[in-house]
Amino acid sequence: MSFARSTRSSQRNASLAACRVLLLAGLIHAGLSAAQPVVPPPQPAAPVAALPAPSATPYPGRIMLAVDATDLDHRVLAVTETLPVVPGRLTLLYPRWLPGNHGPTGNPNPLAGLQVMAGDKPLAWQRDPVEMNAFHIEVPAGVSQLTVRFEHLSPLKSEQGRISMSPALLGVQWNTVLLYPAGHATDGVDVQARLRLPAGWQAATALRAPDGQLAKPGDGGWLAFGSVSATTLVDSPLFAGPNFKRIELDPPGTPHPVALNLFADEADQLEAKPEQIEAHRKLVQQTDKLYGARHWRHYDFLLSQSREFGGIGLEHHESSENGVRPGYFKDWDKAARGRDLLAHEFTHSWNGKFRRPDDLWTANFNQPMRGSLLWFYEGQTQFWGHVLATRSGLVSAAQFRDDLARNAADLAHRGGRGWRTLQDTTNEGPMDAGRNKPWGDWQRGRDYYEEGRLIWLEADMLIREQSGDKRSLDDFARAFFGAAHANAPDGSILPRTYAFDDVVKALNSVQPHDWARFLRERLDRTGTDAAPLGGLARSGWRLVYDEKESEFAKAGDGWGDTGGQDLSYSLGLRLDKDGNIGGVRWDGPAFQAGLAPGEQVLAVGMQTWKPERLAAAITANKAGQAPIELLVKVGERYKLVKIDCRGGLRYPKLERIAGTVDRLEAALKAR
């Protein structure tokens, strides 16, 4: 036998042995596998029982609500709630979906110290694991009444939320201090509230005392109110403070009267000139002439001026919350922006409260809302708010045009219009996206306000044009919002809902046109060149740019300090008074140079940043001979940035189109 042959034989035998080993291992493994139990895949936990749906059956009995607001040091509202119950499972809801906010903004985190008592016996409660604003309680046999105690811990600084308590001002939104029973519509939940104020404080609210008169502090500083539905309670917030003035805006004896309730950090901020108060009286008169009916029992403007108390603009049916910085009256001739606030929130009593989108109306505060019609709810209200403020003299026609020019320019430069429709922005509330977006013009936000305003300007001008200036959007407003009074026999105020087709039908009754197509084209289209500016041309004006900023723009917006620099339409950025970059236009010159929000401009051409210095540098580079050089701080690092922006300074303004009818002037004229 040769060596090679012997080797091949050995290799063959080894290979056969290896196969036998593998076969045996396979058989053993198969046997073991067959003996192993089959492990099932993970399964989801059983679904949690849904909350009881709200029914039209009224809740039996009355909830007594007492709120102590005297702890100003800690900014705590102490709540005691007594409610009738029956044995069994009880679910209490903390309001989550709040009217006017258009989203699930009812945050349960400020609720603390929750205790439930049956007489002197504490009862356990359990938060729903899915609906965090719901609390479950098992009521024992023989128990007919529960006492619920908790605290509402108001924000101590703005990063925690809007400041609603300060040493000089208090704002009580009743949804923050109310737990109400699930399974019932809030119209059928009866609540009687009391509020304790610090000594010497006075309050204003749409709620009235049990006798129907204005509530006044009694023994211990307690204000007592008449019983109302939970719907009306939440819709009737309260402002209070030591510096207070109430001004009736209607003559004595006027049915469904309107009052202006002023609060401020300092008493001298309440002083107003007669002509300033007269402008607010004219606001009421102009809305009467526009809408033709008042859908409330009485209406209270709540207006605060404060640096500590949070700014706000929130609508309610019989009142509105309005918060601005100090100087509303004192700086009347210096700053006008923000003076359309009251006109906007007042208009909401007709559009949003009396007439309400059908998918925004819910039976209680924990059913989800949908905002598909916010371009009408907020957009048309934005339009009328500015128009009524001008007709009443709160702002001038020139100031209206300056604001409209900025509105139009902002939307014309809104990069996000290239991918996101206006209709989609009506989902902002449920998305809980907030207003502080890093790239606001690209992401878009609540654009249904200002873009909606432009759509309704165009609709107004189209009606005027096609009717030979015989009709206008005024006719639509009177027909749509000025229907018969909506008070029910029991004195509660009932809303009337509307849908898209109702809006189209009402527009066609004023001026026949393909309104459905008109609206859907503007709501559903995308494209950076698709800003709805057609109303400007029809009004006899056009958007142009000037090297000089208007006095209106320089004065700021009435919500915060001025002193920054708005270069949105040249460099494509905005700076605050310290040079911090607050916004950068997507794909604009600053963006292309690598700048982003949150950075800080320290120097221009190696000299300390000053607004006038940067403005001069922009002007100097019109021909491209001196690109703008900025020293920018990014956290703990620094960078040099060059921007070759050759357009010069650009600030928006409106310019008359020669030879055209000035329909804008006609729209702004007092009635």
Side-chain angles (χ1 to χ4, degrees):
M1 180 182 295
S2 70
F3 176 79
R5 187 174 177 184
S6 175
T7 301
R8 287 196 297 271
S9 177
S10 299
Q11 289 174 340
R12 183 169 59 252
N13 292 336
S15 177
L16 289 171
C19 288
R20 292 189 190 100
V21 171
L22 290 173
L23 177 60
L24 179 61
L27 291 172
I28 293 172
H29 177 73
L32 290 174
S33 298
Q36 289 279 348
V38 177
V39 178
Q43 297 295 315
V48 177
L51 297 180
S55 72
T57 304
Y59 186 73
R62 176 176 296 164
I63 297 174
M64 306 302 293
L65 176 66
V67 180
D68 189 328
T70 57
D71 189 356
L72 297 175
D73 290 334
H74 304 106
R75 302 183 189 180
V76 171
L77 299 177
V79 182
T80 302
E81 190 173 321
T82 305
L83 66 159
V85 295
V86 295
R89 187 178 178 86
L90 171 69
T91 298
L92 296 178
L93 301 177
Y94 190 70
R96 184 180 181 216
W97 290 79
L98 302 177
N101 291 338
H102 317 313
T105 56
N107 179 10
N109 289 332
L111 185 155
L114 179 61
Q115 294 180 326
V116 181
M117 304 291 293
D120 58 359
K121 180 182 178 182
L123 299 182
W125 57 266
Q126 183 180 30
R127 190 190 300 269
D128 191 276
V130 174
E131 299 291 342
M132 299 300 167
N133 289 47
F135 302 87
H136 303 299
I137 302 157
E138 292 296 332
V139 180
V143 173
S144 60
Q145 179 176 286
L146 294 183
T147 300
V148 179
R149 295 188 179 91
F150 62 91
E151 292 86 38
H152 173 72
L153 309 180
S154 301
L156 300 174
K157 49 187 179 180
S158 58
E159 302 93 278
Q160 299 168 342
R162 177 179 162 267
I163 303 296
S164 58
M165 291 184 76
S166 77
L169 271 162
L170 166 69
V172 177
Q173 294 178 326
W174 298 101
N175 53 277
T176 66
V177 293
L178 176 68
L179 288 171
Y180 70 95
H184 302 269
T186 50
D187 283 347
V189 178
D190 190 23
V191 186
Q192 187 163 9
R194 296 191 305 143
L195 177 73
R196 188 183 184 193
L197 292 175
W201 283 40
Q202 299 182 72
T205 173
L207 296 177
R208 294 296 185 259
D211 62 1
Q213 302 302 308
L214 293 172
K216 301 291 184 183
D219 294 340
W222 285 96
L223 287 166
F225 303 104
S227 65
V228 295
S229 70
T231 303
T232 299
L233 179 71
V234 169
D235 200 39
S236 306
L238 175 146
F239 277 13
N243 304 313
F244 167 68
K245 180 180 289 188
R246 180 179 174 88
I247 301 170
E248 300 294 339
L249 297 180
D250 281 314
T254 300
H256 316 296
V258 181
L260 176 62
N261 300 279
L262 303 175
F263 297 86
D265 290 339
E266 305 292 339
D268 64 348
Q269 294 287 340
L270 304 176
E271 300 304 318
K273 297 177 181 178
E275 58 269 27
Q276 294 170 338
I277 298 303
E278 184 60 24
H280 291 80
R281 289 198 171 97
K282 286 182 178 178
L283 171 61
V284 177
Q285 296 164 12
Q286 289 298 316
T287 53
D288 281 341
K289 292 178 179 179
L290 177 63
Y291 300 120
R294 297 185 177 189
H295 304 298
W296 60 74
R297 294 160 294 189
H298 40 72
Y299 189 94
D300 285 272
F301 286 108
L302 310 179
L303 175 61
S304 69
Q305 299 178 70
S306 177
R307 291 192 178 278
E308 297 177 79
F309 189 70
I312 191 172
L314 188 58
E315 66 269 20
H316 303 281
H317 202 137
E318 296 185 302
S319 64
S320 58
E321 297 173 83
N322 308 275
V324 297
R325 305 285 274 185
Y328 182 80
F329 294 115
K330 284 181 173 293
D331 299 335
W332 191 270
D333 297 328
K334 298 178 183 177
R337 280 163 58 185
R339 288 215 296 269
D340 62 288
L341 174 63
L342 270 65
H344 178 102
E345 304 305 342
F346 195 30
T347 284
H348 269 316
S349 186
W350 287 270
N351 185 10
K353 291 300 179 178
F354 170 51
R355 298 304 308 268
R356 192 175 309 181
D358 57 3
D359 59 358
L360 270 180
W361 184 90
T362 56
N364 70 12
F365 302 120
N366 293 73
Q367 285 186 310
M369 299 174 179
R370 291 165 293 163
S372 67
L373 288 162
L374 284 172
W375 51 269
F376 181 81
Y377 177 121
E378 293 291 5
Q380 189 162 122
T381 298
Q382 190 79 336
F383 170 80
W384 286 122
H386 285 280
V387 168
L388 287 167
T390 309
R391 289 181 184 177
S392 62
L394 287 168
V395 301
S396 69
Q399 290 165 337
F400 175 97
R401 291 193 299 270
D402 283 343
D403 183 73
L404 182 60
R406 193 181 71 151
N407 171 209
D410 183 49
L411 288 164
H413 288 79
R414 187 65 52 90
R417 306 187 81 263
W419 70 273
R420 191 178 180 193
T421 66
L422 179 64
Q423 182 67 72
D424 188 62
T425 70
T426 64
N427 294 311
E428 282 295 293
M431 288 168 63
D432 197 25
R435 299 184 182 184
N436 297 318
K437 297 185 174 184
W439 302 101
D441 76 310
W442 180 242
Q443 294 168 276
R444 303 196 78 176
R446 293 174 173 87
D447 288 358
Y448 48 79
Y449 281 86
E450 292 295 357
E451 191 163 333
R453 174 189 178 189
L454 289 179
I455 288 174
W456 292 109
L457 172 69
E458 186 173 4
D460 184 25
M461 296 303 138
L462 190 150
I463 293 171
R464 292 173 187 272
E465 182 183 89
Q466 293 192 352
S467 68
D469 294 306
K470 294 178 181 178
R471 291 181 296 278
S472 69
L473 202 62
D474 290 55
D475 299 285
F476 168 86
R478 191 175 188 89
F480 198 77
F481 302 118
H485 203 277
N487 279 4
D490 64 354
S492 64
I493 298 175
L494 300 176
R496 288 182 55 192
T497 60
Y498 59 82
F500 179 85
D501 289 345
D502 297 316
V503 175
V504 170
K505 181 179 178 181
L507 285 167
N508 273 311
S509 70
V510 173
Q511 179 61 46
H513 187 71
D514 192 350
W515 289 108
R517 180 179 178 181
F518 172 90
L519 293 171
R520 293 264 50 108
E521 282 181 346
R522 287 152 182 78
L523 294 170
D524 299 334
R525 70 188 176 190
T526 56
T528 54
D529 60 342
L533 304 183
L536 289 177
R538 283 193 163 99
S539 74
W541 294 80
R542 62 174 160 237
L543 175 66
V544 296
Y545 294 88
D546 196 286
E547 291 191 347
K548 184 179 180 182
E549 188 175 20
S550 70
E551 293 302 316
F552 174 82
K554 289 180 184 177
D557 59 10
W559 295 93
D561 295 323
T562 59
Q565 192 170 22
D566 188 350
L567 302 169
S568 298
Y569 316 110
S570 52
L571 290 188
L573 57 74
R574 288 179 290 104
L575 305 171
D576 71 7
K577 59 185 176 61
D578 297 316
N580 296 304
I581 300 177
V584 174
R585 178 160 56 86
W586 187 266
D587 208 29
F591 178 97
Q592 293 176 357
L595 294 180
E599 300 173 352
Q600 184 183 16
V601 176
L602 300 177
V604 181
M606 304 312 292
Q607 289 184 293
T608 302
W609 168 80
K610 293 181 180 179
E612 58 271 23
R613 218 165 249 161
L614 182 51
I618 294 170
T619 300
N621 193 50
K622 280 185 178 182
Q625 70 272 30
I628 301 139
E629 187 175 81
L630 303 178
L631 175 63
V632 179
K633 186 174 185 289
V634 186
E636 296 184 355
R637 299 176 182 273
Y638 298 85
K639 63 181 180 181
L640 280 173
V641 174
K642 285 190 176 183
I643 309 176
D644 190 10
C645 176
R646 304 187 183 192
L649 292 169
R650 284 164 51 88
Y651 298 103
K653 73 172 187 178
L654 295 188
E655 179 181 81
R656 278 285 286 127
I657 302 173
T660 62
V661 177
D662 188 352
R663 292 192 173 93
L664 190 58
E665 180 185 31
L668 300 179
K669 190 175 296 183
R671 300 309 188 243

